[in-house]
Amino acid sequence: MAAIKKRNVNAAAEGAEVDRTDRAILRLLQRDASLSNVALAAKVHLSPPACLRRVERLKRLGFIDGVVARLNPQAVGAGMLVMIGVVLDRSTPESFSAFEKAAAKISGCMECHVVTGEFDYFMLIRTRDSESFNRLHAEQLLYLPGVRQVRSFMVLRNVLSTTELPLAI
């Protein structure tokens, strides 16, 4: 899993004002971050220099974490999506830390979340197919430290997948 450089994610606490134009910029960039500054400026009715200043400010304040290309999973050989529920044998800071360090090294691990309820963690893993997932399960998942139980849920069909966040600012 790639590390994301953290910025000030508590911009609201510092009194950062986000107006309608800033929200429009964020909405448009979530849909298509490849928009040129000139095209973005035209859509939000600003001059290109004013638009660029706003985008840079939104980055500086931590509203924009980064800009990436979203790849087609099938085209890059990662068409199988598997959700994994993990239960640890102990709930100690040391066992959580050891698991998290090891989980970050799992091939194809896209996300890993501490959760409440029946599981301690949910992981999202992408592999080529069920055979490659079986190999990953046997060679990596079974050897994660402190794991009592691993339950795998293979995704049969994608109903909704988005990177757009609701803007409640």
Side-chain angles (χ1 to χ4, degrees), residues 20-30 40 44 46 50-51 54-55 58 64 167:
R20 184 181 332 173
T21 303
D22 291 329
R23 284 189 296 278
I25 289 170
L26 292 170
R27 222 174 266 109
L28 288 163
L29 288 177
Q30 280 195 102
L40 180 61
V44 297
L46 289 175
C51 184
R54 282 184 180 250
V55 170
L58 291 166
I64 299 173
L167 298 179

Side-chain angles (χ1 to χ4, degrees), residues 52-130:
L52 185 59
R53 281 192 299 274
R54 282 184 180 250
V55 170
E56 291 304 318
R57 178 178 168 269
L58 291 166
K59 286 179 182 178
R60 196 172 54 255
L61 291 172
F63 288 102
I64 299 173
D65 245 356
V67 179
V68 298
R70 207 173 38 186
L71 305 181
N72 178 327
Q74 286 77 18
V76 297
M80 170 69 68
L81 180 62
V82 183
M83 295 179 193
I84 312 278
V86 177
V87 179
L88 298 184
D89 57 9
R90 292 175 297 144
S91 293
T92 65
E94 296 79 20
S95 62
F96 279 85
S97 178
F99 173 83
E100 290 169 14
K101 285 178 186 162
K105 297 175 185 171
I106 295 291
S107 302
C109 186
M110 306 290 294
E111 298 180 25
C112 183
H113 304 276
V114 176
V115 297
T116 62
E118 183 180 343
F119 297 100
D120 293 311
Y121 290 90
F122 270 119
M123 301 171 73
L124 210 57
I125 295 179
R126 281 212 171 263
T127 66
R128 178 176 302 283
D129 52 27
S130 59

